[in-house]
PDB file of all heavy atoms in Angstrom:
ATOM      1  N   THR A  44     -18.265   8.885  -0.341  1.00  0.00           N
ATOM      2  CA  THR A  44     -17.694   7.983   0.635  1.00  0.00           C
ATOM      3  C   THR A  44     -17.469   6.581   0.059  1.00  0.00           C
ATOM      4  O   THR A  44     -16.377   5.981   0.203  1.00  0.00           O
ATOM      5  CB  THR A  44     -18.632   7.910   1.846  1.00  0.00           C
ATOM      6  OG1 THR A  44     -18.834   9.207   2.412  1.00  0.00           O
ATOM      7  CG2 THR A  44     -18.081   6.977   2.951  1.00  0.00           C
ATOM      8  N   VAL A  45     -18.424   6.102  -0.664  1.00  0.00           N
ATOM      9  CA  VAL A  45     -18.365   4.787  -1.289  1.00  0.00           C
ATOM     10  C   VAL A  45     -17.230   4.767  -2.399  1.00  0.00           C
ATOM     11  O   VAL A  45     -16.388   3.892  -2.438  1.00  0.00           O
ATOM     12  CB  VAL A  45     -19.715   4.411  -1.943  1.00  0.00           C
ATOM     13  CG1 VAL A  45     -19.552   3.163  -2.824  1.00  0.00           C
ATOM     14  CG2 VAL A  45     -20.702   4.132  -0.851  1.00  0.00           C
ATOM     15  N   ILE A  46     -17.191   5.757  -3.186  1.00  0.00           N
ATOM     16  CA  ILE A  46     -16.231   5.826  -4.291  1.00  0.00           C
ATOM     17  C   ILE A  46     -14.801   6.018  -3.749  1.00  0.00           C
ATOM     18  O   ILE A  46     -13.877   5.279  -4.142  1.00  0.00           O
ATOM     19  CB  ILE A  46     -16.551   6.985  -5.248  1.00  0.00           C
ATOM     20  CG1 ILE A  46     -17.816   6.535  -6.040  1.00  0.00           C
ATOM     21  CG2 ILE A  46     -15.364   7.276  -6.198  1.00  0.00           C
ATOM     22  CD1 ILE A  46     -18.338   7.673  -6.913  1.00  0.00           C
ATOM     23  N   PHE A  47     -14.584   6.927  -2.778  1.00  0.00           N
ATOM     24  CA  PHE A  47     -13.271   7.052  -2.199  1.00  0.00           C
ATOM     25  C   PHE A  47     -12.769   5.767  -1.556  1.00  0.00           C
ATOM     26  O   PHE A  47     -11.610   5.384  -1.715  1.00  0.00           O
ATOM     27  CB  PHE A  47     -13.212   8.153  -1.171  1.00  0.00           C
ATOM     28  CG  PHE A  47     -13.198   9.589  -1.675  1.00  0.00           C
ATOM     29  CD1 PHE A  47     -14.044  10.557  -1.197  1.00  0.00           C
ATOM     30  CD2 PHE A  47     -12.299   9.893  -2.699  1.00  0.00           C
ATOM     31  CE1 PHE A  47     -13.985  11.808  -1.691  1.00  0.00           C
ATOM     32  CE2 PHE A  47     -12.217  11.226  -3.168  1.00  0.00           C
ATOM     33  CZ  PHE A  47     -13.069  12.177  -2.703  1.00  0.00           C
ATOM     34  N   ALA A  48     -13.618   5.114  -0.788  1.00  0.00           N
ATOM     35  CA  ALA A  48     -13.215   3.889  -0.081  1.00  0.00           C
ATOM     36  C   ALA A  48     -12.896   2.765  -1.107  1.00  0.00           C
ATOM     37  O   ALA A  48     -11.829   2.085  -0.972  1.00  0.00           O
ATOM     38  CB  ALA A  48     -14.371   3.440   0.820  1.00  0.00           C
ATOM     39  N   SER A  49     -13.730   2.583  -2.099  1.00  0.00           N
ATOM     40  CA  SER A  49     -13.583   1.454  -3.105  1.00  0.00           C
ATOM     41  C   SER A  49     -12.299   1.681  -3.843  1.00  0.00           C
ATOM     42  O   SER A  49     -11.485   0.761  -3.985  1.00  0.00           O
ATOM     43  CB  SER A  49     -14.779   1.385  -3.946  1.00  0.00           C
ATOM     44  OG  SER A  49     -15.905   1.038  -3.192  1.00  0.00           O
ATOM     45  N   PHE A  50     -12.137   2.852  -4.459  1.00  0.00           N
ATOM     46  CA  PHE A  50     -10.982   3.176  -5.291  1.00  0.00           C
ATOM     47  C   PHE A  50      -9.763   3.226  -4.427  1.00  0.00           C
ATOM     48  O   PHE A  50      -8.646   2.817  -4.848  1.00  0.00           O
ATOM     49  CB  PHE A  50     -11.205   4.384  -6.148  1.00  0.00           C
ATOM     50  CG  PHE A  50     -11.966   4.140  -7.348  1.00  0.00           C
ATOM     51  CD1 PHE A  50     -13.343   4.370  -7.375  1.00  0.00           C
ATOM     52  CD2 PHE A  50     -11.379   3.745  -8.529  1.00  0.00           C
ATOM     53  CE1 PHE A  50     -14.066   4.142  -8.509  1.00  0.00           C
ATOM     54  CE2 PHE A  50     -12.111   3.490  -9.670  1.00  0.00           C
ATOM     55  CZ  PHE A  50     -13.482   3.704  -9.695  1.00  0.00           C
ATOM     56  N   GLY A  51      -9.851   3.640  -3.212  1.00  0.00           N
ATOM     57  CA  GLY A  51      -8.690   3.652  -2.292  1.00  0.00           C
ATOM     58  C   GLY A  51      -8.225   2.259  -1.978  1.00  0.00           C
ATOM     59  O   GLY A  51      -7.021   2.060  -2.011  1.00  0.00           O
ATOM     60  N   GLU A  52      -9.143   1.392  -1.606  1.00  0.00           N
ATOM     61  CA  GLU A  52      -8.744   0.013  -1.335  1.00  0.00           C
ATOM     62  C   GLU A  52      -8.152  -0.685  -2.555  1.00  0.00           C
ATOM     63  O   GLU A  52      -7.151  -1.402  -2.419  1.00  0.00           O
ATOM     64  CB  GLU A  52      -9.962  -0.749  -0.776  1.00  0.00           C
ATOM     65  CG  GLU A  52     -10.508  -0.249   0.551  1.00  0.00           C
ATOM     66  CD  GLU A  52      -9.591  -0.544   1.693  1.00  0.00           C
ATOM     67  OE1 GLU A  52      -8.609  -1.281   1.550  1.00  0.00           O
ATOM     68  OE2 GLU A  52      -9.865   0.040   2.730  1.00  0.00           O
ATOM     69  N   VAL A  53      -8.767  -0.537  -3.707  1.00  0.00           N
ATOM     70  CA  VAL A  53      -8.209  -1.145  -4.930  1.00  0.00           C
ATOM     71  C   VAL A  53      -6.774  -0.623  -5.209  1.00  0.00           C
ATOM     72  O   VAL A  53      -5.890  -1.352  -5.558  1.00  0.00           O
ATOM     73  CB  VAL A  53      -9.148  -0.950  -6.146  1.00  0.00           C
ATOM     74  CG1 VAL A  53      -8.476  -1.297  -7.440  1.00  0.00           C
ATOM     75  CG2 VAL A  53     -10.465  -1.665  -5.901  1.00  0.00           C
ATOM     76  N   SER A  54      -6.576   0.659  -5.061  1.00  0.00           N
ATOM     77  CA  SER A  54      -5.279   1.271  -5.302  1.00  0.00           C
ATOM     78  C   SER A  54      -4.249   0.778  -4.304  1.00  0.00           C
ATOM     79  O   SER A  54      -3.105   0.347  -4.673  1.00  0.00           O
ATOM     80  CB  SER A  54      -5.376   2.790  -5.196  1.00  0.00           C
ATOM     81  OG  SER A  54      -4.114   3.365  -5.429  1.00  0.00           O
ATOM     82  N   LEU A  55      -4.611   0.626  -2.988  1.00  0.00           N
ATOM     83  CA  LEU A  55      -3.724   0.076  -2.047  1.00  0.00           C
ATOM     84  C   LEU A  55      -3.385  -1.351  -2.360  1.00  0.00           C
ATOM     85  O   LEU A  55      -2.149  -1.828  -2.273  1.00  0.00           O
ATOM     86  CB  LEU A  55      -4.363   0.096  -0.574  1.00  0.00           C
ATOM     87  CG  LEU A  55      -4.249   1.313   0.153  1.00  0.00           C
ATOM     88  CD1 LEU A  55      -5.038   1.210   1.547  1.00  0.00           C
ATOM     89  CD2 LEU A  55      -2.853   1.765   0.445  1.00  0.00           C
ATOM     90  N   SER A  56      -4.371  -2.160  -2.739  1.00  0.00           N
ATOM     91  CA  SER A  56      -4.141  -3.586  -3.087  1.00  0.00           C
ATOM     92  C   SER A  56      -3.221  -3.671  -4.273  1.00  0.00           C
ATOM     93  O   SER A  56      -2.268  -4.482  -4.276  1.00  0.00           O
ATOM     94  CB  SER A  56      -5.451  -4.290  -3.359  1.00  0.00           C
ATOM     95  OG  SER A  56      -5.193  -5.586  -3.745  1.00  0.00           O
ATOM     96  N   TYR A  57      -3.453  -2.910  -5.280  1.00  0.00           N
ATOM     97  CA  TYR A  57      -2.613  -2.926  -6.513  1.00  0.00           C
ATOM     98  C   TYR A  57      -1.146  -2.516  -6.208  1.00  0.00           C
ATOM     99  O   TYR A  57      -0.238  -3.206  -6.594  1.00  0.00           O
ATOM    100  CB  TYR A  57      -3.170  -1.949  -7.575  1.00  0.00           C
ATOM    101  CG  TYR A  57      -2.455  -2.033  -8.894  1.00  0.00           C
ATOM    102  CD1 TYR A  57      -2.733  -2.955  -9.863  1.00  0.00           C
ATOM    103  CD2 TYR A  57      -1.498  -1.041  -9.170  1.00  0.00           C
ATOM    104  CE1 TYR A  57      -2.048  -2.983 -11.016  1.00  0.00           C
ATOM    105  CE2 TYR A  57      -0.847  -0.988 -10.403  1.00  0.00           C
ATOM    106  CZ  TYR A  57      -1.143  -2.038 -11.352  1.00  0.00           C
ATOM    107  OH  TYR A  57      -0.442  -2.069 -12.486  1.00  0.00           O
ATOM    108  N   GLY A  58      -0.988  -1.518  -5.400  1.00  0.00           N
ATOM    109  CA  GLY A  58       0.338  -1.045  -5.036  1.00  0.00           C
ATOM    110  C   GLY A  58       1.073  -2.054  -4.135  1.00  0.00           C
ATOM    111  O   GLY A  58       2.271  -2.334  -4.366  1.00  0.00           O
ATOM    112  N   MET A  59       0.361  -2.636  -3.171  1.00  0.00           N
ATOM    113  CA  MET A  59       1.015  -3.568  -2.231  1.00  0.00           C
ATOM    114  C   MET A  59       1.376  -4.908  -2.953  1.00  0.00           C
ATOM    115  O   MET A  59       2.394  -5.483  -2.560  1.00  0.00           O
ATOM    116  CB  MET A  59       0.116  -3.767  -1.044  1.00  0.00           C
ATOM    117  CG  MET A  59       0.069  -2.647  -0.108  1.00  0.00           C
ATOM    118  SD  MET A  59       1.669  -1.976   0.358  1.00  0.00           S
ATOM    119  CE  MET A  59       2.424  -3.348   1.177  1.00  0.00           C
ATOM    120  N   LYS A  60       0.650  -5.219  -3.971  1.00  0.00           N
ATOM    121  CA  LYS A  60       1.052  -6.457  -4.753  1.00  0.00           C
ATOM    122  C   LYS A  60       2.366  -6.212  -5.459  1.00  0.00           C
ATOM    123  O   LYS A  60       3.124  -7.159  -5.711  1.00  0.00           O
ATOM    124  CB  LYS A  60      -0.103  -6.848  -5.685  1.00  0.00           C
ATOM    125  CG  LYS A  60      -1.189  -7.536  -4.950  1.00  0.00           C
ATOM    126  CD  LYS A  60      -2.286  -7.968  -5.930  1.00  0.00           C
ATOM    127  CE  LYS A  60      -3.321  -8.842  -5.208  1.00  0.00           C
ATOM    128  NZ  LYS A  60      -4.323  -8.258  -4.469  1.00  0.00           N
ATOM    129  N   ARG A  61       2.581  -4.992  -5.816  1.00  0.00           N
ATOM    130  CA  ARG A  61       3.872  -4.615  -6.507  1.00  0.00           C
ATOM    131  C   ARG A  61       4.993  -4.431  -5.546  1.00  0.00           C
ATOM    132  O   ARG A  61       6.215  -4.741  -5.838  1.00  0.00           O
ATOM    133  CB  ARG A  61       3.722  -3.361  -7.342  1.00  0.00           C
ATOM    134  CG  ARG A  61       3.273  -3.710  -8.794  1.00  0.00           C
ATOM    135  CD  ARG A  61       1.896  -3.083  -9.134  1.00  0.00           C
ATOM    136  NE  ARG A  61       1.328  -3.644 -10.250  1.00  0.00           N
ATOM    137  CZ  ARG A  61       0.486  -4.706 -10.219  1.00  0.00           C
ATOM    138  NH1 ARG A  61       0.156  -5.234  -9.096  1.00  0.00           N
ATOM    139  NH2 ARG A  61      -0.048  -5.288 -11.314  1.00  0.00           N
ATOM    140  N   VAL A  62       4.696  -4.028  -4.269  1.00  0.00           N
ATOM    141  CA  VAL A  62       5.723  -3.752  -3.277  1.00  0.00           C
ATOM    142  C   VAL A  62       6.190  -5.112  -2.696  1.00  0.00           C
ATOM    143  O   VAL A  62       7.375  -5.358  -2.487  1.00  0.00           O
ATOM    144  CB  VAL A  62       5.215  -2.891  -2.141  1.00  0.00           C
ATOM    145  CG1 VAL A  62       6.098  -2.886  -1.008  1.00  0.00           C
ATOM    146  CG2 VAL A  62       4.914  -1.461  -2.675  1.00  0.00           C
ATOM    147  N   GLY A  63       5.241  -6.043  -2.476  1.00  0.00           N
ATOM    148  CA  GLY A  63       5.583  -7.299  -1.940  1.00  0.00           C
ATOM    149  C   GLY A  63       5.357  -7.329  -0.390  1.00  0.00           C
ATOM    150  O   GLY A  63       4.901  -6.333   0.148  1.00  0.00           O
ATOM    151  N   PRO A  64       5.683  -8.380   0.297  1.00  0.00           N
ATOM    152  CA  PRO A  64       5.429  -8.495   1.713  1.00  0.00           C
ATOM    153  C   PRO A  64       6.258  -7.416   2.501  1.00  0.00           C
ATOM    154  O   PRO A  64       7.404  -7.180   2.243  1.00  0.00           O
ATOM    155  CB  PRO A  64       5.905  -9.844   2.083  1.00  0.00           C
ATOM    156  CG  PRO A  64       6.043 -10.634   0.794  1.00  0.00           C
ATOM    157  CD  PRO A  64       6.262  -9.631  -0.321  1.00  0.00           C
ATOM    158  N   VAL A  65       5.588  -6.846   3.541  1.00  0.00           N
ATOM    159  CA  VAL A  65       6.223  -5.909   4.432  1.00  0.00           C
ATOM    160  C   VAL A  65       5.895  -6.308   5.842  1.00  0.00           C
ATOM    161  O   VAL A  65       4.879  -7.032   6.105  1.00  0.00           O
ATOM    162  CB  VAL A  65       5.764  -4.445   4.244  1.00  0.00           C
ATOM    163  CG1 VAL A  65       6.203  -3.935   2.813  1.00  0.00           C
ATOM    164  CG2 VAL A  65       4.293  -4.316   4.297  1.00  0.00           C
ATOM    165  N   SER A  66       6.723  -5.864   6.759  1.00  0.00           N
ATOM    166  CA  SER A  66       6.562  -6.197   8.140  1.00  0.00           C
ATOM    167  C   SER A  66       6.846  -4.978   9.031  1.00  0.00           C
ATOM    168  O   SER A  66       7.728  -4.172   8.690  1.00  0.00           O
ATOM    169  CB  SER A  66       7.523  -7.320   8.592  1.00  0.00           C
ATOM    170  OG  SER A  66       7.600  -7.540   9.964  1.00  0.00           O
ATOM    171  N   ALA A  67       6.129  -4.865  10.066  1.00  0.00           N
ATOM    172  CA  ALA A  67       6.375  -3.712  10.996  1.00  0.00           C
ATOM    173  C   ALA A  67       7.810  -3.813  11.676  1.00  0.00           C
ATOM    174  O   ALA A  67       8.387  -2.802  11.963  1.00  0.00           O
ATOM    175  CB  ALA A  67       5.382  -3.712  12.086  1.00  0.00           C
ATOM    176  N   ALA A  68       8.326  -4.994  11.656  1.00  0.00           N
ATOM    177  CA  ALA A  68       9.695  -5.196  12.168  1.00  0.00           C
ATOM    178  C   ALA A  68      10.754  -4.554  11.233  1.00  0.00           C
ATOM    179  O   ALA A  68      11.849  -4.200  11.698  1.00  0.00           O
ATOM    180  CB  ALA A  68      10.026  -6.660  12.335  1.00  0.00           C
ATOM    181  N   HIS A  69      10.423  -4.438   9.961  1.00  0.00           N
ATOM    182  CA  HIS A  69      11.324  -3.734   9.019  1.00  0.00           C
ATOM    183  C   HIS A  69      10.669  -2.452   8.551  1.00  0.00           C
ATOM    184  O   HIS A  69      10.119  -2.400   7.445  1.00  0.00           O
ATOM    185  CB  HIS A  69      11.585  -4.660   7.883  1.00  0.00           C
ATOM    186  CG  HIS A  69      12.205  -5.965   8.296  1.00  0.00           C
ATOM    187  ND1 HIS A  69      11.493  -7.121   8.502  1.00  0.00           N
ATOM    188  CD2 HIS A  69      13.535  -6.275   8.585  1.00  0.00           C
ATOM    189  CE1 HIS A  69      12.323  -8.108   8.844  1.00  0.00           C
ATOM    190  NE2 HIS A  69      13.537  -7.673   8.944  1.00  0.00           N
ATOM    191  N   TRP A  70      10.701  -1.438   9.346  1.00  0.00           N
ATOM    192  CA  TRP A  70       9.968  -0.161   9.158  1.00  0.00           C
ATOM    193  C   TRP A  70      10.445   0.502   7.840  1.00  0.00           C
ATOM    194  O   TRP A  70       9.715   1.255   7.264  1.00  0.00           O
ATOM    195  CB  TRP A  70      10.054   0.749  10.351  1.00  0.00           C
ATOM    196  CG  TRP A  70      11.461   1.131  10.726  1.00  0.00           C
ATOM    197  CD1 TRP A  70      12.290   0.501  11.536  1.00  0.00           C
ATOM    198  CD2 TRP A  70      12.140   2.275  10.201  1.00  0.00           C
ATOM    199  NE1 TRP A  70      13.510   1.105  11.667  1.00  0.00           N
ATOM    200  CE2 TRP A  70      13.435   2.229  10.814  1.00  0.00           C
ATOM    201  CE3 TRP A  70      11.874   3.290   9.354  1.00  0.00           C
ATOM    202  CZ2 TRP A  70      14.383   3.130  10.580  1.00  0.00           C
ATOM    203  CZ3 TRP A  70      12.842   4.263   9.087  1.00  0.00           C
ATOM    204  CH2 TRP A  70      14.110   4.169   9.712  1.00  0.00           C
ATOM    205  N   THR A  71      11.656   0.239   7.361  1.00  0.00           N
ATOM    206  CA  THR A  71      12.132   0.908   6.175  1.00  0.00           C
ATOM    207  C   THR A  71      11.342   0.345   4.977  1.00  0.00           C
ATOM    208  O   THR A  71      11.034   1.067   4.002  1.00  0.00           O
ATOM    209  CB  THR A  71      13.646   0.676   5.894  1.00  0.00           C
ATOM    210  OG1 THR A  71      13.922  -0.761   6.031  1.00  0.00           O
ATOM    211  CG2 THR A  71      14.426   1.390   6.988  1.00  0.00           C
ATOM    212  N   ASN A  72      10.911  -0.924   5.004  1.00  0.00           N
ATOM    213  CA  ASN A  72      10.048  -1.447   3.968  1.00  0.00           C
ATOM    214  C   ASN A  72       8.661  -0.782   3.997  1.00  0.00           C
ATOM    215  O   ASN A  72       8.085  -0.569   2.957  1.00  0.00           O
ATOM    216  CB  ASN A  72       9.852  -2.966   4.124  1.00  0.00           C
ATOM    217  CG  ASN A  72      11.145  -3.727   3.850  1.00  0.00           C
ATOM    218  OD1 ASN A  72      12.152  -3.212   3.348  1.00  0.00           O
ATOM    219  ND2 ASN A  72      11.191  -4.977   4.285  1.00  0.00           N
ATOM    220  N   LEU A  73       8.197  -0.439   5.140  1.00  0.00           N
ATOM    221  CA  LEU A  73       6.911   0.230   5.288  1.00  0.00           C
ATOM    222  C   LEU A  73       6.939   1.609   4.617  1.00  0.00           C
ATOM    223  O   LEU A  73       6.055   2.028   3.921  1.00  0.00           O
ATOM    224  CB  LEU A  73       6.452   0.340   6.731  1.00  0.00           C
ATOM    225  CG  LEU A  73       6.040  -0.958   7.450  1.00  0.00           C
ATOM    226  CD1 LEU A  73       5.813  -0.687   8.917  1.00  0.00           C
ATOM    227  CD2 LEU A  73       4.841  -1.494   6.834  1.00  0.00           C
ATOM    228  N   ILE A  74       8.143   2.263   4.861  1.00  0.00           N
ATOM    229  CA  ILE A  74       8.242   3.686   4.248  1.00  0.00           C
ATOM    230  C   ILE A  74       8.360   3.544   2.755  1.00  0.00           C
ATOM    231  O   ILE A  74       7.680   4.313   2.055  1.00  0.00           O
ATOM    232  CB  ILE A  74       9.482   4.343   4.860  1.00  0.00           C
ATOM    233  CG1 ILE A  74       9.213   4.628   6.324  1.00  0.00           C
ATOM    234  CG2 ILE A  74       9.796   5.602   4.120  1.00  0.00           C
ATOM    235  CD1 ILE A  74      10.382   5.182   7.114  1.00  0.00           C
ATOM    236  N   SER A  75       9.096   2.605   2.313  1.00  0.00           N
ATOM    237  CA  SER A  75       9.204   2.429   0.791  1.00  0.00           C
ATOM    238  C   SER A  75       7.787   2.041   0.220  1.00  0.00           C
ATOM    239  O   SER A  75       7.444   2.428  -0.872  1.00  0.00           O
ATOM    240  CB  SER A  75      10.235   1.419   0.454  1.00  0.00           C
ATOM    241  OG  SER A  75       9.910   0.128   0.848  1.00  0.00           O
ATOM    242  N   ALA A  76       6.954   1.258   0.905  1.00  0.00           N
ATOM    243  CA  ALA A  76       5.659   0.891   0.473  1.00  0.00           C
ATOM    244  C   ALA A  76       4.779   2.111   0.417  1.00  0.00           C
ATOM    245  O   ALA A  76       4.066   2.300  -0.582  1.00  0.00           O
ATOM    246  CB  ALA A  76       5.001  -0.117   1.410  1.00  0.00           C
ATOM    247  N   ILE A  77       4.840   2.974   1.385  1.00  0.00           N
ATOM    248  CA  ILE A  77       4.048   4.250   1.376  1.00  0.00           C
ATOM    249  C   ILE A  77       4.465   5.144   0.246  1.00  0.00           C
ATOM    250  O   ILE A  77       3.625   5.842  -0.314  1.00  0.00           O
ATOM    251  CB  ILE A  77       4.196   4.942   2.725  1.00  0.00           C
ATOM    252  CG1 ILE A  77       3.493   4.108   3.814  1.00  0.00           C
ATOM    253  CG2 ILE A  77       3.613   6.389   2.663  1.00  0.00           C
ATOM    254  CD1 ILE A  77       3.730   4.614   5.265  1.00  0.00           C
ATOM    255  N   LEU A  78       5.692   5.096  -0.145  1.00  0.00           N
ATOM    256  CA  LEU A  78       6.195   5.885  -1.280  1.00  0.00           C
ATOM    257  C   LEU A  78       5.856   5.365  -2.676  1.00  0.00           C
ATOM    258  O   LEU A  78       6.039   6.063  -3.631  1.00  0.00           O
ATOM    259  CB  LEU A  78       7.710   6.149  -1.130  1.00  0.00           C
ATOM    260  CG  LEU A  78       8.198   6.882   0.088  1.00  0.00           C
ATOM    261  CD1 LEU A  78       9.691   7.012   0.172  1.00  0.00           C
ATOM    262  CD2 LEU A  78       7.552   8.288   0.148  1.00  0.00           C
ATOM    263  N   ASN A  79       5.330   4.127  -2.713  1.00  0.00           N
ATOM    264  CA  ASN A  79       4.876   3.633  -3.973  1.00  0.00           C
ATOM    265  C   ASN A  79       3.682   4.459  -4.419  1.00  0.00           C
ATOM    266  O   ASN A  79       2.829   4.782  -3.686  1.00  0.00           O
ATOM    267  CB  ASN A  79       4.405   2.181  -3.806  1.00  0.00           C
ATOM    268  CG  ASN A  79       3.796   1.598  -5.027  1.00  0.00           C
ATOM    269  OD1 ASN A  79       2.691   1.908  -5.413  1.00  0.00           O
ATOM    270  ND2 ASN A  79       4.570   0.704  -5.693  1.00  0.00           N
TER     271      ASN A  79
END
């Protein structure tokens, strides 16, 4: 539980820093973020 959560959060942070800002108003950006 600890390992999955920690590495999952770090991976999300790393990926989102590469994707850039996203907004729910622009759902296509959210989809492209998920595909990172």
Side-chain angles (χ1 to χ4, degrees):
T44 303
V45 168
I46 290 172
F47 282 134
S49 298
F50 279 93
E52 294 292 348
V53 168
S54 181
L55 277 179
S56 178
Y57 184 81
M59 289 308 298
K60 283 182 171 80
R61 270 120 197 92
V62 169
V65 296
S66 167
H69 300 98
W70 60 272
T71 54
N72 292 346
L73 291 173
I74 293 173
S75 66
I77 291 170
L78 296 176
N79 175 285

